[in-house]
Amino acid sequence: MKLCSPGKYHLPTHGSTFLAQISDLLKNEKNIVELGSGIGNVSIALAKIYEDIKITGIEIQKEPFECSLENIKSNNLLNRVDFINDDIKNIEKYFKRESIDCVITNPPHYSDKSLISPYEDRKTARTFDINDLEKFFYAANYLLKNKKRMIFVYHPVHFESFLKLAWKYKFSLQEMFLGYGKKNGECQLIGGILRKNGGENLKIHPPVFFKNSGL
């Protein structure tokens, strides 16, 4: 992929590559939305892998959004990938209820205390806030057809809050992928699949070990 970025804090991370890796789309998942699409690298990667899908990303920050538009041009995907610059709380402006086959997302997951940074764009992109997180679940519930999937990557520290919101918005956890930086280390990221109005049917996959991104 050819990618431009407004700064190093918006480049692909373990979280975005992990999300792309576990987003194994089903044959009937053709219309996809990415919530919090950044510079568009995950959406673009999936569009290159699955040549019959249409994917739309929503990004609140202007600079990453502008780069995402450049990135779909440089990767020749103008006809199948699109991006919107808005807060996901305004999702109803752009889509009909229950019109989407699959939602993918890597929401912000650091607390204000764990991420101390002078860069406001980094804070916006990566800082956890329970009210902001709830917007992701409201949007996913609004977008998805019944029984359809929300594929996510999230941090273990706030995963309990994440699951509480999932249950509140009628999502059941059905698959988990645990990501590690080293063999004897703690889990760094949790990937998974939630199903809207799904039943209890949890599958836990073998561990995933990340290579050093160099970032």
Side-chain angles (χ1 to χ4, degrees), residues 3 19-20 23 25 27 45 53-54 58-59 74 90 100-103 127 141 147 154 171 182 194 196 200 208:
L3 295 174
L19 180 60
S23 294
L25 299 180
K27 290 182 179 180
I53 67 170
K54 168 68 176 176
I58 304 175
E59 172 56 45
S74 60
N90 300 319
I100 299 300
D101 300 319
C102 185
V103 165
T127 302
N141 179 276
K147 303 295 185 181
Y154 208 67
F171 286 98
K182 53 186 178 180
L194 299 162
K196 182 179 176 179
E200 290 190 46
V208 175

Side-chain angles (χ1 to χ4, degrees), residues 34-37 57-62 65 84-95 124 129 131-136 138-139 143:
E34 181 182 7
L35 300 176
S37 50
I58 304 175
E59 172 56 45
I60 191 171
Q61 294 188 82
K62 185 175 181 181
F65 162 74
I84 297 167
N85 182 206
D86 203 348
D87 193 317
I88 59 174
K89 70 180 182 181
N90 300 319
I91 196 73
E92 297 177 22
K93 291 169 54 178
Y94 305 100
F95 300 92
T124 302
D129 177 270
N131 295 319
D132 286 334
L133 181 60
E134 185 160 7
K135 291 188 294 187
F136 281 77
Y138 172 81
L143 289 167

Side-chain angles (χ1 to χ4, degrees), residues 111-126:
S111 69
D112 289 329
K113 293 180 180 179
S114 66
L115 180 65
I116 301 173
S117 173
Y119 302 102
E120 287 300 322
D121 60 340
R122 187 181 187 217
K123 290 180 181 179
T124 302
R126 300 188 183 182

